[in-house]
Each structure stands twice: as C-alpha cells, then as structure tokens.
Amino acid sequence: MTLCDRRDVGLLLLRLGTGGVLAAHGAQKLFGWFGGHGLEGTGQFMESVGYAPGRASATAAGLAETGGGTLLALGLATPAAGSAAAGAMAGAAAVHAPNGFFAQSGGYEYAAALGLTAAGLAVAGPGRLSLDHVLRHAVNRNWMVPAALGVTAAITCAVVGARTRRIRERERAERLGDQAPLFEE
C-alpha cells in the first residue's frame, strides 16, 4: 500500500483550491484584505440585503468562510469545516438568487459551486494528505458528517428564513408607503 493515491492528491487539490478561495473571501469580510470592506463595510452591506444585525452577520459569515476555508485547506475537522463553509455559501446564494443562476448576471452560480464543493468535501473526507489523517481522524469521525451538516442546515434555514421575512416586510412597507391616500382628511 502506498502513502497516497491519486484520490488523495485530488482531494488535496480540491481542499487547497476551495479552502483557499473561501479563506480569502472571508478575510475580505473580517479584515478588509484583498480589496474587501472589512467588518464595517460588510456589515452595512449585510444589513442592506436583509441580514441583521449586519455586523454580527458579517462576522459569522467571515468566520465560517475564513475558518471553514482554512480548515478545509489543512484537512482538519473536515465535516465541520465543509459544513460551515457550505452554510455561508447558502446564505450568499440566497442574496444572489433573484438574479438567476449565472454569475455574469449576478446570480448564485459561484456561491453554489463553492458551497457544493465544501459540502462534498465534508462528506468525502480529506484523504490521507491531511491533518485529519495525521491526527487519526480525532475530529473527523463518521458520525460528525451528518451531525455537522444537520446543525448547519438548521442554522442556515433559520438565518435565511429570517432574512426572507425581513425582505418581504420591507417590500410590503415600501408598497404601502407608495399607496398613500390622494386626499387627506
């Protein structure tokens, strides 16, 4: 038996690529690196698209992306890392969904690709070229996969559902504001 096979190399490449992109994306939110807006600017944006409170939402998304991405790249706590990143990308996809699928139109294509890859890595595992393997999978047990995905799915549904309610309430208030009576009594 060899130390690694092509499956392990493939998983390493997927982890490094996906994890690196997610970590950089999250660092834009948390620290303003790579042309990002940091917590202040990202928090204002999050508030404007219905995630409230904005700064807390920016912090949560930034930590899920930066932390999840870094852990994915390292192959450490892979179920939790992949689940956290997938949850953050589901939240991003919700923002872009009204624009359709393709990224060139502002759609959710990019967020979906990153999220599905992160979730796939959570399920498939990190391979032998990983810290999980070195640590004898102490934080990568089989039971952790459905637990991490289930908890993340529940939290993501609650957060995206709350955002959807806020957006609908905002749109309703705007519609009612536009329907002011023509004559005041």
Side-chain angles (χ1 to χ4, degrees), residues 13-23 69 72-73 113-115 117-118 121:
L13 292 172
L14 279 172
R15 288 193 350 261
L16 289 174
T18 304
V21 168
L22 285 162
L72 275 177
L114 284 175
T117 303
L121 287 166

Side-chain angles (χ1 to χ4, degrees), residues 97-184:
N99 300 322
F101 178 70
F102 292 104
Q104 70 188 26
S105 301
Y108 63 93
E109 171 186 21
Y110 183 64
L114 284 175
L116 288 169
T117 303
L121 287 166
V123 172
R128 288 182 277 189
L129 300 174
S130 66
L131 288 179
D132 275 337
H133 182 73
V134 169
L135 298 173
R136 300 180 188 268
H137 299 280
V139 287
N140 180 33
R141 304 282 186 212
N142 285 337
W143 66 266
M144 293 175 182
V145 175
L149 290 170
V151 167
T152 299
I155 292 168
T156 302
C157 285
V159 169
V160 171
R163 174 194 178 263
T164 301
R165 284 188 297 281
R166 278 191 287 280
I167 295 292
R168 287 185 181 149
E169 289 170 7
R170 183 187 305 162
E171 289 171 351
R172 182 175 177 266
E174 288 171 1
R175 274 194 316 273
L176 293 176
D178 290 342
Q179 298 174 1
L182 295 175
F183 302 102
E184 293 191 31

Side-chain angles (χ1 to χ4, degrees), residues 6 24 39 44 47-48 53 56 59 63 95 105-106 120 132-133 137 140 161 163 175:
R6 69 186 219 193
L39 283 177
Q44 290 172 4
E47 192 86 33
S48 77
T59 302
L63 288 173
V95 172
S105 301
D132 275 337
H133 182 73
H137 299 280
N140 180 33
R163 174 194 178 263
R175 274 194 316 273

Side-chain angles (χ1 to χ4, degrees), residues 39-58:
L39 283 177
E40 189 63 36
T42 304
Q44 290 172 4
F45 171 75
M46 296 289 256
E47 192 86 33
S48 77
V49 296
Y51 288 113
R55 188 174 175 95
S57 298

